[in-house]
Amino acid sequence: MSCLPRLGLRESIPQDETAQMAYRCLLIDHDDTMLSTFDLRAKITAVAIAEVFGEEVDGAALLSSNNGIRLEEMAEQYTDDESVVETYVNTYRRLYYARNTEGIEVLPGVQEVIESLTDRGVPIAVVTNKWGQGARTELAAVGLSDRLPVVVGAEHVTHGKPHPEAILRALELLNVSAKGALMVGDTSADIGAAKAAGVSSAAAFWGTQDAADLRKTCPEHYLEGAEEILPLFGF
């Protein structure tokens, strides 16, 4: 499949078109879209798989090739026993959330975008497949939690991305419609969830571990840097 990208750069869009297409609500992924969590998640993935399944894996390579999948889906690659899947999920979360604020940083441009949009009254929700309370802890560690009170995570839904449930829940909490909402994320699961929920999507190429796969999802916007979000809101 080939896509015709609609760029998010202000200089690539005529001013009258920018005004017409301006979004009114931002939905944004957490891991590697807002915060740099990949290295820690890769380490914990390798340790958890070794502990539960007794296999040695390259955590970074495994995450890169399974970009955006849920913990349950990761475990199901090794077993079809639901109790073992649950054991893996619990093991990963125990190990990860014991140290989830270690070495995390806000990715370039993200803080400025969040501050600019919230100062202008744009509603924002974080939509993630990770444990929502863990995401809140990480946001607090980097000073963004006050700006982002709405977080929809794994404990809030039955189905994670690419299912649309988390996005629809976020829209409900923000009391906004799908029309005028933009989902920004670094994985095919983010773009798939956006399409299924009927909201527009933007690919965050600054954080993705698999640019080729992300490009195939045909989002409305292809963004190389977080600062390219602002023109899409008319700023």
Side-chain angles (χ1 to χ4, degrees):
M1 179 185 295
S2 62
C3 312
L4 274 176
R6 185 178 179 185
L7 298 177
L9 297 168
R10 180 183 295 275
E11 59 267 29
S12 301
I13 306 170
Q15 289 298 317
D16 57 346
E17 183 180 346
T18 301
Q20 292 173 10
M21 63 180 268
Y23 295 105
R24 299 184 297 276
C25 168
L26 175 64
L27 310 173
I28 187 165
D29 177 54
H30 182 87
D31 290 322
D32 302 316
T33 299
M34 295 183 64
L35 304 186
S36 58
T37 64
F38 182 82
D39 289 346
L40 180 58
R41 289 188 295 116
K43 291 176 184 176
I44 298 302
T45 295
V47 173
I49 287 176
E51 184 172 321
V52 176
F53 301 111
E55 295 196 25
E56 299 295 324
V57 300
D58 181 331
L62 188 62
L63 278 192
S64 294
S65 62
N66 291 277
N67 206 14
I69 72 169
R70 298 177 297 113
L71 294 175
E72 291 83 358
E73 294 175 290
M74 182 71 77
E76 287 164 359
Q77 296 180 22
Y78 296 88
T79 181
D80 56 6
D81 187 324
E82 291 184 4
S83 65
V84 179
V85 170
E86 183 178 1
T87 296
Y88 172 78
V89 171
N90 291 336
T91 299
Y92 176 93
R93 285 177 175 159
R94 171 176 55 81
L95 295 169
Y96 178 82
Y97 291 115
R99 50 187 297 197
N100 66 316
T101 59
E102 292 182 14
I104 62 170
E105 295 180 348
V106 182
L107 289 167
V110 169
Q111 183 164 344
E112 292 80 2
V113 167
I114 298 302
E115 290 177 351
S116 180
L117 292 180
T118 53
D119 284 346
R120 291 174 166 91
V122 175
I124 303 176
V126 178
V127 183
T128 177
N129 276 349
K130 78 188 308 172
W131 203 247
Q133 187 55 49
R136 289 180 185 277
T137 300
E138 293 167 14
L139 291 169
V142 297
L144 282 176
S145 57
D146 290 344
R147 297 265 182 176
L148 300 167
V150 178
V151 177
V152 178
E155 70 269 43
H156 304 125
V157 297
T158 303
H159 307 287
K161 298 175 292 184
H163 193 281
E165 183 182 358
I167 287 181
L168 295 175
R169 176 62 175 155
L171 295 173
E172 179 184 1
L173 291 172
L174 293 174
N175 193 29
V176 298
S177 68
K179 184 178 181 180
L182 176 70
M183 175 69 199
V184 178
D186 68 303
T187 72
S188 58
D190 296 312
I191 307 306
K195 291 179 180 294
V199 307
S200 297
S201 58
F205 281 97
W206 64 86
T208 188
Q209 298 298 317
D210 191 345
D213 181 63
L214 185 58
R215 193 171 296 278
K216 292 175 184 177
T217 62
C218 297
E220 280 83 355
H221 307 283
Y222 294 61
L223 308 182
E224 297 297 334
E227 68 280 357
E228 295 176 22
I229 293 173
L230 290 178
L232 299 179
F233 284 79
F235 306 130

